[in-house]
Amino acid sequence: HNCSILHHVTLGGSGKKGVDRHPKVGSGVLLGAGASVLGNVRIGDGCQVGAGTLVISDLPDHSVAVGVPAKIIGSFVDVSAQPSIGMNQILNQEDASIVT
């Protein structure tokens, strides 16, 4: 689905056997280095997950999340943006494409 997964990313299942327990990654997503996505969670289309972030709950489409656990710090203004293509890993105050 056209996503970019940088080095040392963990996509891990959790929960009981026989139920859906693995993460779903949407189209255009960028998962930063060392990020962990655990359990039956959905990373929405066009999301950007920062390096070292722990995602244990769903992220809405076009959101930007960082931290342990993940906290949404902004969202993309242009809903057609695909962080997986741009690979921009630097969020600065002048970036007009993200609303905080």
Side-chain angles (χ1 to χ4, degrees):
H1 289 212
N2 194 29
C3 63
S4 292
I5 301 175
L6 301 184
H7 67 281
H8 206 264
V9 169
T10 301
L11 299 174
S14 66
K16 297 182 178 184
K17 196 174 188 178
V19 296
D20 193 3
R21 48 189 214 111
H22 292 93
K24 282 65 173 171
V25 179
S27 182
V29 171
L30 172 62
L31 295 176
S36 295
V37 184
L38 304 177
N40 183 21
V41 297
R42 180 180 181 279
I43 307 294
D45 293 342
C47 285
Q48 182 169 348
V49 177
T53 297
L54 172 63
V55 181
I56 54 175
S57 60
D58 293 350
L59 295 178
D61 292 350
H62 312 291
S63 59
V64 179
V66 296
V68 177
K71 178 181 177 186
I72 297 171
I73 61 165
S75 60
F76 286 94
V77 174
D78 179 5
V79 296
S80 66
Q82 292 193 353
S84 64
I85 295 173
M87 299 287 287
N88 181 4
Q89 300 175 54
I90 301 172
L91 175 64
N92 56 37
Q93 298 299 331
E94 295 80 35
D95 192 346
S97 65
I98 299 175
V99 175
T100 55

